[in-house]
Amino acid sequence: MQPHDSSPLTDFIEYPPEEMQQRSADFYQDIKRRHSIRKFSDRAVDKAIIENCIKAAGTAPSGANHQPWHFVAISSQEIKKQIREQAEYHERGFYDGRAGEEWLNALKDLGTDANKPYLEHAPWLIAIFSQKKGGIKEEDKNTNYYVHESVGIATGFLITALHNAGLATLTHTPKPMSFLNKICERGDNDRAYMLLIAGYPSDDATIPAHAQVKKSLSDIATFL
Ligand code: IYR
């Protein structure tokens, strides 16, 4: 290894093998309860919970540890309304033909359409941005590496953290998403990556049957 500054690993926890079995099984049971939902209650959620979840997302591994992400957490009713208006405008174009027949067919079993009332109902929208340039310091303007992979992992951490906190989420990617730059006041270096909706499910929230079909272990994994 090249010489570099470092410190001993002191916070790794080794569990006895039986406990590892149990923990891995327990985590699977818990994360299996994460479902994308499209009906949210307007019940408030403390900002401190969202802050903790974003801090958890910020621990994700990233290319050269540049952390090429920015999270804009929105609870302002006025800004949520603007986002809903813009998202529905673009989604109407998408569902009215821009998506093409194959894509629209693939979405049939999810029951989605251009109406996105949850963008106003849910207490929090988290707009996730990826950054082309950056570095270990927020003001750096170096090249970032593996930006898509890094932001994808951080987004996974965020979804998991929100689920763990007791919140439901929905990933939403209106196409195009560049309107989020303007509303969230992010400059040219930031690219809207995803909009995450977070809150409590409404009493009539449902899970599409299609979304409950998960591939088996033998479908998704090979052990050599
Ligand atoms: N962004 C649209 C369409 C959509 C696309 C995919 I791929 C989905 O998995 C779900 C929806 C919408 O949110 O309706």
Side-chain angles (χ1 to χ4, degrees), residues 49-179:
I49 297 169
I50 304 300
E51 285 176 342
N52 283 335
C53 293
I54 294 175
K55 282 200 269 183
T59 69
S62 62
N65 193 32
H66 282 195
Q67 303 153 64
W69 43 64
H70 190 86
F71 302 90
V72 179
I74 301 142
S75 63
S76 150
Q77 211 49 51
E78 178 49 39
I79 300 176
K80 285 192 282 183
K81 183 165 178 256
Q82 285 176 34
I83 292 179
R84 178 183 179 181
E85 278 168 9
Q86 288 286 316
E88 287 185 337
Y89 168 77
H90 292 296
E91 293 288 9
R92 276 194 292 277
F94 175 89
Y95 283 96
D96 287 348
R98 190 159 36 81
E101 199 184 344
E102 186 181 1
W103 196 346
L104 290 180
N105 256 329
L107 296 179
K108 273 209 177 103
D109 290 335
L110 292 176
T112 55
D113 61 25
N115 298 312
K116 307 295 175 196
Y118 47 75
L119 292 175
E120 266 187 279
H121 295 166
W124 290 97
L125 306 181
I126 306 175
I128 303 165
F129 292 87
S130 64
Q131 301 178 319
K132 251 196 316 241
K133 298 272 177 185
I136 189 97
K137 292 200 250 56
E138 186 51 28
E139 64 273 19
D140 284 347
K141 287 281 166 272
N142 304 318
T143 302
N144 284 333
Y145 305 98
Y146 299 104
V147 171
H148 217 73
E149 292 84 348
S150 303
V151 182
I153 297 168
T155 301
F157 274 34
L158 180 56
I159 293 169
T160 308
L162 290 162
H163 170 76
N164 178 63
L167 293 170
T169 54
L170 176 67
T171 53
H172 183 46
T173 47
K175 213 169 146 65
M177 268 194 294
S178 41
F179 69 86

